[in-house]
């Protein structure tokens, strides 16, 4: 039996372009996009997901040839869509890392640091703690499954060959950097005000009793207050995560023109 080249390329295109979009999202998305996850595992996971969801994906237009200039443009579009969807989860997790870094700098807990297994950078230990908590919330609430569901639904709202991201979508994605800073600062604001009050109190004590060794006493007390503030923030961290996840989910839905 002979198979024409056009028929083979057509069959490969039906699987290749959905595979590119799904794999691009997995390469960037939180948890699966971390450095401790092998790229080979991500690629095989993307292949398994592609084979599993192929019956629910619309057929690829036959007018697009796999080995052509239009085919390469289609590949670039799928990479952009998948990367943009995965980046929203990265912004969400990094918000909690920034929360820990802000509290660590204010409470002197930033002296304790470790290598971040997700990106290989040396970051404060408090930021790592909040990152692990946010990651566990993401997995416990099936956030990874929701992202897989959204990327499958995106093939209907942004079909291969005709659907693409607009300039407004990229502008909104860039605006999420400011939202990330704003959200992290709003969650850390109570701790910042409490630590500022403590530092002002030590300043008054220094003026009233200059003979006190305010540096040794204030450093230990600031560490104690910082630990108490972290315990207080952790008690309501999940509620903050739920509200923030709803915003992230809405952003992904707007990105793929889907009504959530």
């Amino acid at each position: 039996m002979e198979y024409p080249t056009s028929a083979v390329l057509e069959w490969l295109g039906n699987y290749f372009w959905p595979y590119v979009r799904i794999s691009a999202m997995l390469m960037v998305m939180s948890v699966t996009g971390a450095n401790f996850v092998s790229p080979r595992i991500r690629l095989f996971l993307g292949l398994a997901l592609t084979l599993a969801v192929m019956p629910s994906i619309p057929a690829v237009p036959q007018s697009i040839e796999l080995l052509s200039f239009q085919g390469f443009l289609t590949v670039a579009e799928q990479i952009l869509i998948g990367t943009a969807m995965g980046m929203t989860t990265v912004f969400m997790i990094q918000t909690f890392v920034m929360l820990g870094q802000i509290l660590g700098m204010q409470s002197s807990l930033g002296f304790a640091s470790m290598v971040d297994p997700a990106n290989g950078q040396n970051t404060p230990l408090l930021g790592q703690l909040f990152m692990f908590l946010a990651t566990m919330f993401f997995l416990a609430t099936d956030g990874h499954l929701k992202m897989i569901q959204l990327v499958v639904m995106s093939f209907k709202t942004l079909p291969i060959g005709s659907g693409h991201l607009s300039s407004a979508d990229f502008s909104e994605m860039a605006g999420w950097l400011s939202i990330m800073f704003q959200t992290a600062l709003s969650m850390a604001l109570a701790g910042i005000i409490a630590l500022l009050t403590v530092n002002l109190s030590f300043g008054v004590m220094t003026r009233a009793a200059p003979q006190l060794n305010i540096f040794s006493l204030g450093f230990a007390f600031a560490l104690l207050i910082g630990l108490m503030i972290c315990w207080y923030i952790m008690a309501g961290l999940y509620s903050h995560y739920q509200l923030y996840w709803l915003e992230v989910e809405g952003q992904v839905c707007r990105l793929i023109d889907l009504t959530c």
Side-chain angles (χ1 to χ4, degrees):
M1 182 179 295
E2 296 182 358
Y3 295 96
T5 305
S6 59
V8 174
L9 292 179
E10 178 183 335
W11 181 82
L12 287 176
N14 289 331
Y15 287 86
F16 178 71
W17 284 310
Y19 172 68
V20 170
R21 184 184 298 190
I22 294 174
S23 297
M25 188 192 72
L26 294 177
M27 284 288 182
V28 180
M29 190 178 70
S30 298
V31 182
T32 58
N35 286 343
F36 55 79
V37 179
S38 172
R40 185 177 299 178
I41 294 177
R42 304 175 206 168
L43 292 175
F44 279 114
L45 180 60
L47 180 60
L49 289 175
T50 303
L51 295 176
V53 303
M54 273 304 296
S56 60
I57 293 179
V60 179
Q62 306 301 327
S63 59
I64 304 176
E65 297 182 2
L66 184 61
L67 300 178
S68 63
F69 181 71
Q70 187 179 5
F72 288 117
L73 290 180
T74 304
V75 171
E77 288 178 354
Q78 306 315 306
I79 294 176
L80 285 176
I81 295 173
T83 303
M85 294 181 66
M87 280 300 296
T88 55
T89 61
V90 176
F91 290 153
M92 179 185 65
I93 299 298
Q94 290 301 315
T95 300
F96 292 92
V97 176
M98 191 175 301
L99 167 64
Q101 291 177 346
I102 293 174
L103 293 177
M105 288 187 297
Q106 296 294 324
S107 61
S108 302
L109 290 171
F111 285 100
S113 62
M114 64 173 290
V115 177
D116 186 358
N119 52 35
Q121 301 296 325
N122 195 19
T123 57
L125 188 61
L126 195 59
Q128 291 297 299
L129 173 63
F130 286 110
M131 185 200 72
F132 290 144
L133 290 175
T135 304
M136 286 191 294
F137 292 153
F138 179 71
L139 295 175
T141 56
D142 294 335
H144 57 298
L145 299 180
K146 184 64 177 179
M147 292 299 299
I148 294 174
Q149 180 185 8
L150 289 176
V151 74
V152 173
M153 296 174 68
S154 68
F155 288 102
K156 297 180 179 179
T157 56
L158 296 177
I160 297 175
S162 59
H164 60 275
L165 300 180
S166 62
S167 58
D169 295 326
F170 291 110
S171 176
E172 191 171 358
M173 286 292 297
W176 266 83
L177 291 173
S178 62
I179 296 176
M180 182 174 67
F181 284 98
Q182 179 183 354
T183 305
L185 185 60
S186 63
M187 288 190 291
L189 193 58
I192 293 174
I193 295 175
L195 290 169
L196 179 61
T197 305
V198 171
N199 291 330
L200 289 176
S201 302
F202 278 117
V204 174
M205 291 174 58
T206 304
R207 297 292 296 176
Q211 66 275 13
L212 289 176
N213 190 355
I214 201 64
F215 291 101
S216 60
L217 179 62
F219 183 78
F221 192 75
L223 286 176
L224 179 61
I225 295 298
L227 290 174
M228 294 175 61
I229 291 173
C230 291
W231 181 264
Y232 172 76
I233 291 179
M234 287 173 59
L237 194 65
Y238 180 66
S239 59
H240 289 289
Y241 170 82
Q242 283 184 313
L243 295 175
Y244 197 30
W245 169 247
L246 291 177
E247 294 184 9
V248 171
E249 187 178 353
Q251 165 64 25
V252 177
C253 291
R254 291 191 299 271
L255 195 67
I256 61 176
D257 297 332
L258 181 68
T259 302
C260 295

